[in-house]
Amino acid sequence: MTTSSRLDPVLARIDDTLPQATERLLALLRIPSISTDPAYRAECDRAADWLVEDLRGIGFEAAKRPTPGHPMVTGHAGGAGPHILFYGHYDVQPVDPLDLWERDPFDPQVEDTPKGRVIRGRGASDDKGQLMTFVEACRAWKAVHGTLPARISLFFEGEEESGSPSLVPFMRENAEELRADVALICDTGLFGDSTPAIVTMLRGLLGEEITITGPSKDLHSGMYGGIAMNPIRVLARIIAALHDDQGRVTIPGFYDGVPELPADVAAQWQGLNFDAQGFLGEVGLGQPAGETDRSPLEMIWSRPTCEVNGITGGYTGAGFKTVLPAKASAKISFRLVGQQDPLKIRESFRKMVRDMLPPDCEVSFADHSASAASQMETSHPAFEAARIALSDEWPNPAAYVGCGGSIPIAGHFKTLLGMDAMLIGFGKDDDQIHSPNEKYDLESFHKGIRSWARVLDALSR
Amino acid sequence: MTTSSRLDPVLARIDDTLPQATERLLALLRIPSISTDPAYRAECDRAADWLVEDLRGIGFEAAKRPTPGHPMVTGHAGGAGPHILFYGHYDVQPVDPLDLWERDPFDPQVEDTPKGRVIRGRGASDDKGQLMTFVEACRAWKAVHGTLPARISLFFEGEEESGSPSLVPFMRENAEELRADVALICDTGLFGDSTPAIVTMLRGLLGEEITITGPSKDLHSGMYGGIAMNPIRVLARIIAALHDDQGRVTIPGFYDGVPELPADVAAQWQGLNFDAQGFLGEVGLGQPAGETDRSPLEMIWSRPTCEVNGITGGYTGAGFKTVLPAKASAKISFRLVGQQDPLKIRESFRKMVRDMLPPDCEVSFADHSASAASQMETSHPAFEAARIALSDEWPNPAAYVGCGGSIPIAGHFKTLLGMDAMLIGFGKDDDQIHSPNEKYDLESFHKGIRSWARVLDALSR
């Protein structure tokens, strides 16, 4: 690690002012900005106002930007150097079941725990705490140097937890304002507890709901059992046929566009020493249940999947009813990778289902999401610069990792604005986001702020 | 058809007094004796009282017999001739959804319809109307001859629609009183609209509920999709494996004790010219979906089945959640025939399920009913006598038929009292029992009464 007359005083300032930064985060966490519940509409607005005021205090030209839903917040500052866009979201998940919280989710506090100090409250990790790591880095830089090291735009959303209905229209309408040299997104986590991570691949998501209908009404199995088509049996056969004995998806063409992992990435992932046993053991499982010839990290990061997320049909209450149901349905989703085409897979899936239908059965389909996978261009020099900067801050060198989930904003930056995005975050696996007792380690917050200062320094040299 | 100085005046009396008989049935139908709903407990009691009083009016030594649940009603009369026990039930199904009824279900009335006059109201067919056919036959016989042609015992239950919890204990405690030469049960239907039927085989019923558990909690399919065991997929594979491509059940030993249909029965069924197209067409189906090498009547009467009556797992609400569920469950029932042993099949089924479980999955089972099939001894001379008597009343000769459902009382008469039972009833397929707008054709009621007069005559010669 080298010393830097430009960076070192910023890091020192961050260390010195951590109590004040924490107080600011606590203030933001007190605003119950639950985006999915209309009862909290005014609170979302209040969170946006709080951010606008805070950003103005740092010197950003900040504004609350109306949408048909909750407002966006934008801020612009600096001028020289590259143009960096930072994204985060200020809305939070609902808090129910409230009785499982050990404190009021909107009365946040710093708590001492056996594993260190944590900031406890709804949104501490997802995403107010992460969002504020970047804001605090900017504040410290500005305080030390009187100016920012780059042209920086901030872009905060208030609908991330409720499907982002206004996001794409807003990005289209304000494309010129938002387009930058590179985008930074802080909504992900560390790899393990001390390895910073840059997400370079995100899986896409295709959701399909299928409903099989047979008889025109529910039948009595005494009268019709043995002669009538049973839609549950038909649905079960279809679901059972979606995978072969090796765990591969059997839909024709499903693997078109699925790349083999490049040797260098495979080697790097190998070096992460992923603890699959621990990962599965946390949720009561003992062994990987995916494709038999793939490594655990491939299964969750770089291989496509087909999963059944829900199924229902017939009588599901207490006791027993000997009904032959008129219909049965299932929600099935696919995680997509590489160049897999969601719409082609939808068509192929539907054809396969139709081809398996016996006489007297019909099927209807309902569309849900259909987004392709994202693969970042790690050859962009910002990636390697950020990776080295993060490695300077944390005990372990930073890793390029995959992410099994889908973070649509990353794809939107690419497709709508032509920008590569770097997903860097400091959450930990036990942060309990979306669950009761959400927390953000004070270490995540502190080293997160320091990390962004280092990344800003690296990207603006 | 021969004339009979003994029978003909009874039939004439039945014809002459049909309006009064109908009024009596309407009075009984006005009592809302819903056995499954505790709010109607007093009404069940009132229906039992009504029957006791009515039977006493005919000359029966009748009594309301207490049980831990709703009371039984017994009546005894006559002395000479064979001892005949008649069974029916005075309780009825709930009436919801009430808004689908075109009249108050407990304000019954005789209605003119395009297909003839019908008695409309809850219980009209199931089973008050059918029960009263036998009572009215006894009344007419007594009125004409001053005595009954046989020793007759009546046995009316008030819990048939709520699982008959008191039935077996009551039969055990009163076995001597109830044991007769033959039992008659009136709770079934005609074959078609003009062919009387005697049920000679009833399928048994085995109910199993299985729950597959995988992860210790619901998982996010972005994080765990591809590596975690999915219980819905496991359950679907198990269900899909329960039948082969020919529709046969694959559980080892399942067909042990399943007899081939005797040639004479097969020929007789062939002669019934069962309209499978019409039977299936009524419920929106076009072709039999059972074992590919079996006739439609075999499928519903004499072949065992395995059906899924309900399935549930994961997210089943509106929209989509990408959850990997911790568990999935299904209710599965088997209709049994011949000498199939319900407990052996339960064991074999459970072993098959356990053998199909992948690592990290567990299964739990819940018991439901387990009753063997009933096969009547049609060589008993009462069967042929009754068959001829019924043939004299109706346009078509009477048929020996199977019944795909399970009527436990028939098995109880055999196993607890050593009696054969003849199931004879006059319901029609469109009676809408258990559904809104239940009805009983006035023709069913009228010819039902006449049928019993003929059967009494035939059995007491």
Side-chain angles (χ1 to χ4, degrees):
Chain A
M1 205 176 304
T2 55
T3 59
S4 154
S5 59
R6 189 165 89 135
L7 179 61
D8 291 349
V10 176
L11 297 177
R13 168 95 189 170
I14 290 169
D15 296 345
D16 293 343
T17 58
L18 182 63
Q20 294 88 322
T22 305
E23 281 306 318
R24 282 187 287 269
L25 174 55
L26 293 176
L28 179 58
L29 290 174
R30 282 187 203 104
I31 305 174
S33 47
I34 302 170
S35 60
T36 197
D37 186 340
Y40 292 86
R41 187 174 181 90
E43 301 292 350
C44 291
D45 212 60
R46 196 152 69 88
D49 287 334
W50 188 97
L51 284 164
V52 168
E53 191 181 326
D54 191 61
L55 296 184
R56 285 179 180 159
I58 302 171
F60 281 91
E61 188 182 314
K64 183 170 73 173
R65 310 283 288 272
T67 76
H70 302 300
M72 307 286 180
V73 170
T74 55
H76 305 284
H83 186 188
I84 295 169
L85 176 72
F86 176 84
Y87 166 92
H89 64 91
Y90 67 81
D91 62 321
V92 300
Q93 278 275 317
V95 294
D96 50 280
L98 192 56
D99 58 325
L100 294 185
W101 284 81
E102 283 159 23
R103 62 177 300 110
D104 178 344
F106 296 111
D107 178 22
Q109 195 157 315
V110 179
E111 293 179 1
D112 283 310
T113 78
K115 293 171 76 176
R117 306 193 81 192
V118 305
I119 302 163
R120 179 90 61 193
R122 172 56 87 225
S125 176
D126 183 20
D127 184 48
K128 287 172 174 173
Q130 303 238 63
L131 175 159
M132 288 301 289
T133 55
F134 192 84
V135 173
E136 295 297 344
C138 292
R139 190 188 324 269
W141 197 291
K142 185 84 183 302
V144 169
H145 295 294
T147 182
L148 292 169
R151 180 175 159 208
I152 295 178
S153 293
L154 304 175
F155 176 32
F156 300 151
E157 184 189 4
E159 298 179 327
E160 201 272 347
E161 304 291 6
S162 51
S164 297
S166 309
L167 183 64
V168 169
F170 186 87
M171 289 176 75
R172 285 191 200 280
E173 279 165 33
N174 300 281
E176 284 315 305
E177 176 186 343
L178 296 172
R179 185 173 293 122
D181 296 310
V182 67
L184 305 175
I185 299 173
C186 192
D187 199 15
T188 51
L190 302 168
F191 182 82
D193 277 357
S194 42
T195 304
I198 302 175
V199 174
T200 63
M201 46 176 77
L202 288 161
R203 292 196 287 195
L205 180 62
L206 173 65
E208 285 280 286
E209 186 164 357
I210 71 174
T211 301
I212 309 282
T213 52
S216 55
K217 58 180 180 179
D218 287 0
L219 305 177
H220 189 285
S221 81
M223 198 160 170
Y224 289 92
I227 196 169
M229 177 58 52
N230 183 329
I232 297 177
R233 279 176 49 194
V234 175
L235 183 59
R237 285 183 96 97
I238 289 170
I239 290 171
L242 289 172
H243 293 82
D244 67 16
D245 290 343
Q246 281 70 50
R248 280 175 66 89
V249 177
T250 56
I251 297 167
F254 184 76
Y255 290 94
D256 290 354
V258 176
E260 279 304 314
L261 205 58
D264 59 332
V265 178
Q268 191 237 320
W269 287 4
Q270 189 70 28
L272 291 173
N273 295 314
F274 177 59
D275 176 15
Q277 286 292 327
F279 179 78
L280 290 169
E282 281 276 315
V283 294
L285 297 173
Q287 52 185 274
E291 292 173 274
T292 51
D293 59 345
R294 297 292 170 174
S295 73
L297 279 187
E298 284 181 283
M299 291 181 191
I300 58 175
W301 286 351
S302 67
R303 296 296 297 177
T305 72
C306 165
E307 291 292 354
V308 188
N309 305 114
I311 189 167
T312 187
Y315 180 70
T316 60
F320 215 90
K321 276 194 187 175
T322 51
V323 66
L324 292 185
K327 64 178 182 176
S329 66
K331 297 179 202 282
I332 298 175
S333 65
F334 305 87
R335 297 280 171 180
L336 307 179
V337 304
Q339 304 302 315
Q340 279 182 299
D341 181 335
L343 299 184
K344 275 194 185 162
I345 290 174
R346 170 171 282 161
E347 280 318 301
S348 184
F349 167 71
R350 291 182 177 189
K351 178 173 189 310
M352 177 174 167
V353 170
R354 288 196 191 95
D355 288 350
M356 287 189 70
L357 281 190
D360 285 343
C361 272
E362 292 187 3
V363 61
S364 65
F365 299 94
D367 286 355
H368 292 280
S369 52
S371 63
S374 293
Q375 170 75 49
M376 310 306 160
E377 282 298 334
T378 52
S379 58
H380 189 298
F383 278 81
E384 193 55 15
R387 199 186 68 73
I388 293 168
L390 291 168
S391 302
D392 283 345
E393 175 63 26
W394 294 82
N396 297 336
Y400 289 140
V401 303
C403 174
S406 307
I407 302 180
I409 182 74
H412 297 329
F413 281 142
K414 186 77 179 183
T415 56
L416 299 178
L417 305 180
M419 303 160 60
D420 279 294
M422 286 197 286
L423 294 109
I424 297 170
F426 313 100
K428 295 189 177 180
D429 286 345
D430 64 355
D431 277 355
Q432 317 210 68
I433 64 169
H434 294 212
S435 295
N437 303 311
E438 179 177 351
K439 61 88 178 165
Y440 196 45
D441 282 9
L442 195 62
E443 182 194 52
S444 292
F445 187 56
H446 184 187
K447 291 179 85 69
I449 301 170
R450 288 173 54 99
S451 294
W452 286 125
R454 290 182 186 277
V455 170
L456 284 177
D457 180 54
L459 296 184
S460 62
R461 276 181 195 281
Chain B
M1 204 178 300
T2 55
T3 60
S4 155
S5 59
R6 192 165 86 135
L7 178 61
D8 289 350
V10 176
L11 297 178
R13 167 96 189 167
I14 290 168
D15 296 346
D16 291 345
T17 59
L18 182 63
Q20 293 90 324
T22 306
E23 280 308 317
R24 282 185 287 269
L25 174 55
L26 292 176
L28 178 58
L29 290 174
R30 282 187 203 104
I31 305 174
S33 48
I34 302 170
S35 60
T36 198
D37 186 340
Y40 292 86
R41 187 175 181 88
E43 301 292 349
C44 292
D45 212 58
R46 196 153 68 89
D49 287 334
W50 187 97
L51 284 165
V52 167
E53 191 182 325
D54 191 61
L55 296 183
R56 285 180 182 160
I58 301 171
F60 280 91
E61 189 180 314
K64 183 171 73 174
R65 310 284 290 273
T67 76
H70 301 301
M72 307 288 180
V73 170
T74 56
H76 304 285
H83 187 189
I84 295 168
L85 177 72
F86 176 86
Y87 166 92
H89 65 90
Y90 68 80
D91 62 321
V92 300
Q93 279 274 319
V95 295
D96 49 279
L98 192 55
D99 58 324
L100 294 186
W101 283 82
E102 283 160 23
R103 62 179 299 110
D104 179 344
F106 296 111
D107 178 21
Q109 195 157 316
V110 179
E111 293 177 2
D112 283 310
T113 78
K115 294 171 75 176
R117 308 193 78 191
V118 306
I119 302 162
R120 179 91 61 194
R122 172 56 88 224
S125 175
D126 184 20
D127 183 46
K128 288 172 174 173
Q130 303 238 60
L131 176 158
M132 288 302 289
T133 54
F134 191 84
V135 173
E136 295 297 343
C138 292
R139 190 189 324 268
W141 195 291
K142 185 82 185 303
V144 170
H145 295 295
T147 182
L148 293 170
R151 182 176 158 207
I152 294 178
S153 292
L154 305 175
F155 177 32
F156 301 150
E157 185 190 4
E159 297 179 328
E160 201 273 346
E161 303 292 5
S162 53
S164 298
S166 309
L167 184 64
V168 168
F170 186 87
M171 289 176 75
R172 284 190 202 281
E173 280 165 32
N174 300 281
E176 284 315 305
E177 175 187 343
L178 297 172
R179 185 172 293 120
D181 295 310
V182 67
L184 304 175
I185 299 173
C186 192
D187 200 15
T188 51
L190 302 167
F191 181 82
D193 279 356
S194 43
T195 303
I198 303 175
V199 174
T200 63
M201 46 176 76
L202 287 161
R203 291 196 287 195
L205 181 62
L206 172 66
E208 286 280 286
E209 186 164 357
I210 71 175
T211 302
I212 309 281
T213 52
S216 56
K217 59 180 181 180
D218 286 358
L219 305 176
H220 189 286
S221 82
M223 198 159 171
Y224 288 92
I227 196 169
M229 176 58 52
N230 183 327
I232 297 177
R233 280 177 48 194
V234 175
L235 183 59
R237 285 184 95 98
I238 289 170
I239 291 171
L242 290 172
H243 294 81
D244 66 17
D245 289 343
Q246 282 70 49
R248 280 176 66 91
V249 177
T250 57
I251 298 167
F254 184 76
Y255 289 95
D256 291 354
V258 176
E260 279 304 315
L261 205 57
D264 59 332
V265 178
Q268 191 236 319
W269 286 5
Q270 189 69 27
L272 291 173
N273 295 314
F274 177 59
D275 176 16
Q277 286 293 328
F279 179 78
L280 290 168
E282 279 278 313
V283 295
L285 298 174
Q287 53 185 275
E291 293 172 272
T292 50
D293 58 345
R294 297 292 169 175
S295 72
L297 280 187
E298 284 181 284
M299 291 180 189
I300 58 174
W301 285 351
S302 66
R303 297 296 297 177
T305 71
C306 165
E307 290 293 353
V308 188
N309 306 114
I311 189 168
T312 185
Y315 180 71
T316 60
F320 216 91
K321 276 194 185 174
T322 51
V323 65
L324 292 183
K327 64 178 181 175
S329 66
K331 298 180 202 283
I332 298 175
S333 65
F334 305 87
R335 298 281 171 179
L336 307 180
V337 304
Q339 304 302 313
Q340 279 182 300
D341 181 335
L343 299 183
K344 275 194 185 161
I345 290 174
R346 169 171 283 160
E347 280 319 300
S348 184
F349 167 71
R350 291 182 176 187
K351 179 174 188 307
M352 177 174 166
V353 170
R354 287 195 191 96
D355 288 349
M356 287 189 70
L357 281 189
D360 285 342
C361 271
E362 293 187 2
V363 62
S364 65
F365 298 94
D367 285 354
H368 292 278
S369 53
S371 64
S374 293
Q375 170 74 48
M376 310 306 159
E377 282 298 336
T378 52
S379 58
H380 190 298
F383 277 81
E384 194 54 16
R387 199 186 66 74
I388 293 169
L390 291 168
S391 300
D392 282 345
E393 175 62 26
W394 294 82
N396 296 336
Y400 290 140
V401 302
C403 173
S406 307
I407 303 182
I409 182 75
H412 298 328
F413 281 142
K414 186 77 179 182
T415 57
L416 299 178
L417 303 181
M419 301 160 62
D420 279 293
M422 285 197 286
L423 294 109
I424 298 170
F426 313 100
K428 295 189 178 178
D429 287 346
D430 64 354
D431 276 356
Q432 317 212 65
I433 64 169
H434 294 211
S435 295
N437 302 311
E438 179 178 350
K439 61 89 177 165
Y440 196 44
D441 282 8
L442 195 62
E443 182 194 50
S444 293
F445 188 55
H446 184 188
K447 292 180 86 67
I449 301 171
R450 289 173 54 100
S451 294
W452 285 124
R454 291 182 186 277
V455 170
L456 285 177
D457 180 54
L459 296 184
S460 62
R461 276 183 193 280

